[in-house]
Amino acid sequence: MDSNASSGTVVDAFDGLSPSQRIARLEALLRQSRAETQRFRDCFELGDHGQALVGLDGRFLEVNPALCAMTGLSREQLCQRTCLEITHPDDLETCRAAVRALAGGAQTTFRTEKRYLHVDGHAVHVHVTLTLARDAQGEPSHFVALMQDVTARKASERALVEREALLSSMGKFVPGIIHKIGFGPDGRARFMYISDRALEMFELPSEVMANDYYAHHVRVHPEDLKYAERLGQPPKLGQPLHPVDFEYRVLLPTKGLRHYRGRALPVIEADGQVVWYGHTADVTDQKLLQEARVATRAAEDANRAKSEFLSRMSHELRTPLNAVIGFAQLLRLDRAQPLADSQRNKVDLIERAGAHLLDVISDVLDLSRIEVGGLPLAMEDVPARQVMDEALNLVESMAREAGIRLVSEVGPAKWRVHADRLRLRQILVNLLSNAVKYNNPGGEVTVRLRQQPAQPPDGTALLGLEVQDSGIGMTPDQQAHLFESFNRLGAERTAIEGTGIGLVIVHRLVELMQGHIDVRSEPGVGSCFTVWLPTACDDDGGEACPPAAGGPMLEAPHGGLTVLYAEDNEVNIDLIRRVLELRPACRLLVARNGAEAVALATASRPGLLLLDMHLGDMDGFELVKRLAAIPALKGVPRVAFSADAMSEQIDKAKASGFTAYLTKPLDVVALLRCVDEHTGVAGMA
């Protein structure tokens, strides 16, 4: 019925028309239809978004150029594919779900986001609107698809998420808080952003501070509150904007007083609003460290000034004291005009008092030099028993006058320590003197040496020099104050002379020589002081010296050993030549630059290379590098010779392959010892 009615309507439109008129009318309708079709075709072809007609099997029936551009495929290529074939594998199920929903009649239009695979492999994000079309009988015939490229939008969304994640991470891991502050129409400040550390910094929930900028003022120190309030005021119109550095104190319920410091930068945003981007951090520890450094520096300056004053005064006092003591001795020894007994006793008192005062001044001078680091030490391998015997000889008369017996139980002569010989003897004399002074009448003082095996963490073997007495001993409380300056532990109330700084000097000197002191004492029984110092190599078959680096000794053609010396200074060359004359078995070859040294070393294959570190054409590091590349010189010891005695230079030289490092001015004994250790020529002399 509808078909007939429709036909009737068309027929009615032609009623009363002549054939020519009917033809004209049909041509007009045809032109109208073609125009409408062209308009629809133009919309299809020229649209910015992709458009397609898709069969029920998913195959493209018609596509527009925009879809071709999205996929990189031509119209012909697309029409040979299905929509599933250009869809990203992870989005296939989304595509199938859309087809099922439309084909099942649940809905007529389906919208989703998915990814197409461009022909070059990259993914194109699209928003797809899929509509089911039906034929005249109402049966599904095909799909109409509209695709919008949203790749740029998705990239912007990802970038935004990443920026937010970065900002969140910075807020969590950057010390302090990050904030953005704006101002409302009423001029009140507000946090437009505040990081998560607000709770930690102000012990207030983040949401409280985010909702009320002024909430954190409850934590500000009362003396800094007005300053903090000024920081929350909006900038005045017409005034230039500058970054602001600020610092104030807060009082927290759990952490107490803290110092906060920060910086805020003004920014004018697109809408003309002024906002402040800033960072606030807890600088309490830095403040305390700075204050401690200032206090330490002031203490060091005061201590240095005191030490320098004592040092100057000591030198000034020694000159008149020498006159006092010297003239007292002259009076006592004057046989031409002998003194009466009463006068002799008075002169003896003057001499003894002067000697005591001189000892005090010497101790004060030593202590002041130690405190300011001005006491030089000449470290060497010292025979411990020999130094102990020297110290015993120095206190022998003192012990005899006091009726104290000295007992020596020292060990083998081959035992050595690495120490300053003069200062070690000073340490032992001080300990022995105290052992005599604080002993009981008829008592004894025993000295001995003790070895201690290498102990972790540094693996250094130690040798103990022990002084034990049978004297009055000390209580634990006295031992706790033993090494305090000018503290005589109550002895100042007795007739025993002393200064209270002798043991302080002993303690400091032992520490300077990388050692330590053990003290054992019991009241009424006596005391035992043990000075532990690093052991040294011995030459008598005790602890073996570490072998010199390098290979076997290399003999010179004449049966001795060849030493190649690289040096460009004639005076130094003459000096080394004269020193090595003490080792007749050595033959000296001289190279006056690095290139000559390489040539001579290659030709003669010496047993020892003595290399100056600053030659005219290259330095010692470059020279030793070139020598190391010569196979015939493998294992030949290399000794550096330089006026640069900095520890960094010495460490660098040893790390570069030098087996020893000698400094200028030349220590002749050190050079001969080095030659003997590295080449074994001592027995040939």
Side-chain angles (χ1 to χ4, degrees):
M1 180 182 294
D2 293 337
S3 177
N4 293 335
S6 177
S7 300
T9 302
V10 174
V11 171
D12 291 342
F14 289 92
D15 287 346
L17 296 178
S18 64
S20 60
Q21 290 175 326
R22 291 182 179 183
I23 292 172
R25 176 62 62 87
L26 286 172
E27 289 176 347
L29 291 172
L30 181 59
R31 286 194 301 271
Q32 181 181 354
S33 176
R34 287 175 177 173
E36 292 176 352
T37 301
Q38 186 60 44
R39 284 196 296 272
F40 284 116
R41 170 59 63 180
D42 290 341
C43 291
F44 183 79
E45 294 290 336
L46 302 177
D48 291 335
H49 303 319
Q51 298 180 56
L53 299 180
V54 184
L56 297 179
D57 59 356
R59 186 169 300 278
F60 287 106
L61 304 177
E62 185 68 45
V63 297
N64 71 342
L67 183 58
C68 294
M70 285 185 197
T71 61
L73 297 170
S74 66
R75 192 189 304 265
E76 291 75 15
Q77 290 172 324
L78 275 173
C79 289
Q80 293 174 4
R81 287 172 168 77
T82 66
C83 60
L84 295 178
E85 290 175 337
I86 66 169
T87 299
H88 192 283
D90 294 343
D91 297 339
L92 290 175
E93 184 55 36
T94 300
C95 191
R96 295 189 183 102
V99 174
R100 288 195 299 269
L102 293 173
Q107 59 191 88
T108 58
T109 301
F110 190 93
R111 294 179 176 84
T112 187
E113 285 190 1
K114 58 185 288 189
R115 286 165 292 176
Y116 285 154
L117 290 176
H118 193 275
V119 69
D120 64 6
H122 78 269
V124 180
H125 292 263
V126 293
H127 182 275
V128 179
T129 301
L130 194 63
T131 303
L132 179 65
R134 299 177 181 273
D135 59 16
Q137 287 73 36
E139 296 296 326
S141 60
H142 60 277
F143 298 104
V144 178
L146 179 65
M147 301 84 162
Q148 181 182 0
D149 188 339
V150 294
T151 304
R153 191 198 75 195
K154 298 293 285 189
S156 298
E157 291 175 354
R158 284 196 304 272
L160 181 60
V161 170
E162 290 172 358
R163 283 197 297 270
E164 290 179 349
L166 176 61
L167 184 60
S168 178
S169 298
M170 291 176 63
K172 291 179 180 178
F173 300 111
V174 172
I177 58 173
I178 301 171
H179 44 76
K180 177 182 178 182
I181 300 172
F183 301 91
D186 56 357
R188 290 179 60 83
R190 60 187 179 90
F191 282 114
M192 302 175 71
Y193 171 81
I194 185 169
S195 58
D196 296 337
R197 284 185 176 267
L199 175 61
E200 175 187 335
M201 291 279 289
F202 292 95
E203 298 185 5
L204 291 170
S206 298
E207 56 272 16
V208 170
M209 295 185 63
N211 293 330
D212 182 4
Y213 168 84
Y214 303 95
H216 72 283
H217 285 177
V218 70
R219 303 292 193 225
V220 177
H221 191 285
E223 295 178 3
D224 298 340
L225 183 57
K226 289 188 178 299
Y227 172 74
E229 289 174 346
R230 288 199 300 271
L231 294 175
Q233 295 177 357
K236 295 182 179 179
L237 294 176
Q239 288 189 346
L241 298 174
H242 301 287
V244 174
D245 296 306
F246 55 87
E247 183 175 338
Y248 56 85
R249 295 165 293 172
V250 297
L251 291 170
L252 303 180
T254 62
K255 298 180 181 178
L257 179 66
R258 310 297 293 178
H259 293 262
Y260 287 176
R261 181 185 299 157
R263 182 177 178 86
L265 301 173
V267 175
I268 301 176
E269 298 201 323
D271 59 359
Q273 181 184 8
V274 177
V275 298
W276 294 83
Y277 290 87
H279 173 252
T280 303
D282 187 336
V283 295
T284 306
D285 293 340
Q286 294 93 313
K287 295 278 288 188
L288 294 176
L289 178 60
Q290 182 180 5
E291 292 172 0
R293 285 175 175 170
V294 171
T296 300
R297 190 178 300 112
E300 290 174 349
D301 292 342
N303 189 56
R304 187 177 297 106
K306 177 196 70 176
S307 299
E308 291 175 355
F309 171 76
L310 290 175
S311 178
R312 288 195 298 270
M313 290 304 298
S314 297
H315 283 293
E316 293 296 328
L317 291 173
R318 290 173 73 92
T319 300
L321 270 178
N322 284 331
V324 171
I325 297 171
F327 281 111
Q329 291 175 344
L330 288 176
L331 288 173
R332 181 168 53 82
L333 298 174
D334 190 351
R335 296 183 180 276
Q337 299 179 4
L339 299 175
D341 290 341
S342 60
Q343 292 175 321
R344 181 179 295 276
N345 291 335
K346 294 175 182 177
V347 170
D348 287 343
L349 288 174
I350 293 173
E351 187 177 355
R352 286 165 53 191
H356 175 67
L357 185 55
L358 185 60
D359 289 340
V360 172
I361 293 172
S362 297
D363 286 346
V364 170
L365 176 59
D366 281 346
L367 182 60
S368 65
R369 294 175 70 192
I370 292 172
E371 287 180 345
V372 299
L375 185 69
L377 294 178
M379 303 297 289
E380 59 179 324
D381 295 349
V382 177
R385 191 175 77 176
Q386 189 178 96
V387 178
M388 184 71 84
D389 289 341
E390 293 173 0
L392 286 170
N393 291 334
L394 290 173
V395 299
E396 183 179 4
S397 60
M398 176 184 179
R400 188 185 309 112
E401 292 177 4
I404 305 299
R405 188 165 68 96
L406 299 178
V407 180
S408 177
E409 298 178 358
V410 293
K414 64 188 178 184
W415 287 358
R416 296 171 179 265
V417 292
H418 193 64
D420 181 302
R421 185 186 186 109
L422 177 63
R423 297 302 174 181
L424 178 58
R425 186 172 61 194
Q426 178 183 355
I427 290 169
L428 294 173
V429 168
N430 195 304
L431 294 177
L432 287 167
S433 299
N434 283 350
V436 171
K437 287 194 298 183
Y438 297 100
N439 216 316
N440 294 313
E444 66 179 28
V445 175
T446 303
V447 297
R448 60 179 65 88
L449 300 179
R450 296 167 53 194
Q451 280 190 319
Q452 184 182 86
Q455 300 288 333
D458 57 0
T460 302
L462 301 175
L463 186 66
L465 296 88
E466 187 173 276
V467 177
Q468 183 175 2
D469 66 65
S470 58
I472 61 178
M474 295 178 289
T475 65
D477 182 64
Q478 287 176 316
Q479 294 181 55
H481 301 277
L482 187 60
F483 300 113
E484 293 179 0
S485 299
F486 305 104
N487 189 344
R488 297 194 61 204
L489 308 178
E492 65 274 9
R493 295 187 294 272
T494 69
I496 302 174
E497 294 181 345
T499 63
I501 59 176
L503 285 178
V504 178
I505 294 174
V506 167
H507 187 254
R508 302 279 179 86
L509 287 174
V510 172
E511 287 184 336
L512 287 176
M513 291 188 284
Q514 307 304 312
H516 67 276
I517 302 178
D518 286 343
V519 181
R520 303 191 311 275
S521 186
E522 185 176 347
V525 177
S527 302
C528 181
F529 289 78
T530 305
V531 175
W532 293 99
L533 293 171
T535 58
C537 300
D538 63 74
D539 301 324
D540 301 72
E543 292 182 357
C545 292
M553 295 180 295
L554 304 177
E555 295 189 3
H558 63 287
L561 293 168
T562 299
V563 177
L564 173 60
Y565 180 35
E567 173 65 72
D568 57 3
N569 185 289
E570 291 298 330
V571 176
N572 290 336
I573 292 172
D574 186 59
L575 175 61
I576 296 299
R577 181 179 288 112
R578 293 179 182 274
V579 171
L580 290 185
E581 287 176 356
L582 299 174
R583 295 290 185 264
C586 283
R587 182 168 71 97
L588 180 64
L589 295 178
V590 177
R592 288 170 171 77
N593 55 56
E596 188 176 344
V598 174
L600 277 174
T602 305
S604 61
R605 194 169 181 264
L608 176 65
L609 297 167
L610 182 60
L611 310 176
D612 184 74
M613 296 300 289
H614 298 284
L615 298 170
D617 57 345
M618 66 182 73
D619 61 19
F621 296 109
E622 175 64 23
L623 177 55
V624 79
K625 182 179 178 181
R626 295 192 184 186
L627 292 172
I630 302 174
L633 298 180
K634 183 178 181 181
V636 177
R638 302 165 178 84
V639 177
F641 189 35
S642 175
D644 189 346
M646 297 297 292
S647 59
E648 297 85 353
Q649 180 80 352
I650 296 174
D651 293 341
K652 181 181 177 182
K654 291 183 177 179
S656 299
F658 286 97
T659 57
Y661 195 101
L662 299 177
T663 58
K664 301 175 184 177
L666 175 65
D667 184 338
V668 174
V669 175
L671 175 59
L672 291 176
R673 185 186 300 120
C674 179
V675 170
D676 296 346
E677 288 178 355
H678 284 84
T679 64
V681 301
M684 302 179 185

